């Protein structure tokens, strides 16, 4: 948990994060560092990382493999600036790759092109929830 403080997350935000995800207290710095490294890998800077963690502490509990599978899928279909997508909607990191694939498949069956779907998601990352 020291890593969260080192990031500059203030006490009030940290308390709110712990209220939402009590297991944060038990997480090792290595576990937290892994999640930060994943965000850094996709281009997030410290400000993005803080915003994502404060807004979506559930991300810290996700399995690294699930997050990496999501990122690989998104990159594979043409998403380029994942850091912007995740900063705009930190909860996007809670999806599994198959959920995004299912959404895209439904939209394609309605006649939309993959490029249009990606543009729509990039313009409004909450569209999947609508």
């Amino acid at each position: 948990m020291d890593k969260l403080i080192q990031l500059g997350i203030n006490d009030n935000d940290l308390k709110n994060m712990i209220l939402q995800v009590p297991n944060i207290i038990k997480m090792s710095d290595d576990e937290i560092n892994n999640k930060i490294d994943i965000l850094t890998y996709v281009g997030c800077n410290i400000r993005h990382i803080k915003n994502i963690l404060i807004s979506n502490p559930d991300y810290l509990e996700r399995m690294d493999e699930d997050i990496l599978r999501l990122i690989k899928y998104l990159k594979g279909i043409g998403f380029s600036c994942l850091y912007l997508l995740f900063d705009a909607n930190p909860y996007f990191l809670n999806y599994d790759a198959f959920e995004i694939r299912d959404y895209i498949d439904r939209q394609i069956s309605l006649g939309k092109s993959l490029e249009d779907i990606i543009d729509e998601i990039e313009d409004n990352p909450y569209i999947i929830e609508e």
Side-chain angles (χ1 to χ4, degrees), residues 5-20:
I5 295 167
Q6 291 172 2
L7 275 175
I9 296 176
N10 68 45
D11 289 342
N12 191 42
D13 287 333
L14 192 55
K15 286 176 187 173
N16 287 331
M17 291 170 67
I18 293 168
L19 282 174
Q20 291 177 34

Side-chain angles (χ1 to χ4, degrees), residues 17-64:
M17 291 170 67
I18 293 168
L19 282 174
Q20 291 177 34
V21 182
N23 284 338
I24 290 174
I25 293 172
K26 299 175 188 173
M27 295 183 85
S28 71
D29 282 345
D30 285 342
E31 291 172 301
I32 293 171
N33 278 333
N34 287 345
K35 299 301 188 289
I36 291 170
D37 289 346
I38 291 170
L39 294 174
T40 302
Y41 167 74
V42 297
C44 292
N45 62 34
I46 296 297
R47 182 182 54 82
H48 297 134
I49 293 168
K50 282 175 55 177
N51 288 343
I52 290 167
L53 297 180
I54 291 168
S55 300
N56 182 17
D58 291 313
Y59 165 74
L60 293 169
E61 286 195 309
R62 298 254 318 163
M63 298 291 297
D64 292 350

Side-chain angles (χ1 to χ4, degrees), residues 51-116:
N51 288 343
I52 290 167
L53 297 180
I54 291 168
S55 300
N56 182 17
D58 291 313
Y59 165 74
L60 293 169
E61 286 195 309
R62 298 254 318 163
M63 298 291 297
D64 292 350
E65 298 80 17
D66 292 339
I67 300 164
L68 292 170
R69 204 173 341 217
L70 172 66
I71 290 168
K72 181 179 178 182
Y73 176 73
L74 293 172
K75 283 184 169 193
I77 61 170
F79 281 88
S80 55
C81 296
L82 291 177
Y83 68 96
L84 294 175
L85 178 69
F86 298 152
D87 189 45
N89 181 358
Y91 296 101
F92 208 93
L93 285 158
N94 295 353
Y95 287 114
D96 286 317
F98 75 87
E99 292 173 298
I100 305 302
R101 185 179 56 247
D102 290 350
Y103 173 81
I104 289 173
D105 289 348
R106 283 193 307 275
Q107 296 303 307
I108 287 174
S109 73
L110 296 173
K112 292 184 181 178
S113 71
L114 179 59
E115 295 79 18
D116 288 343

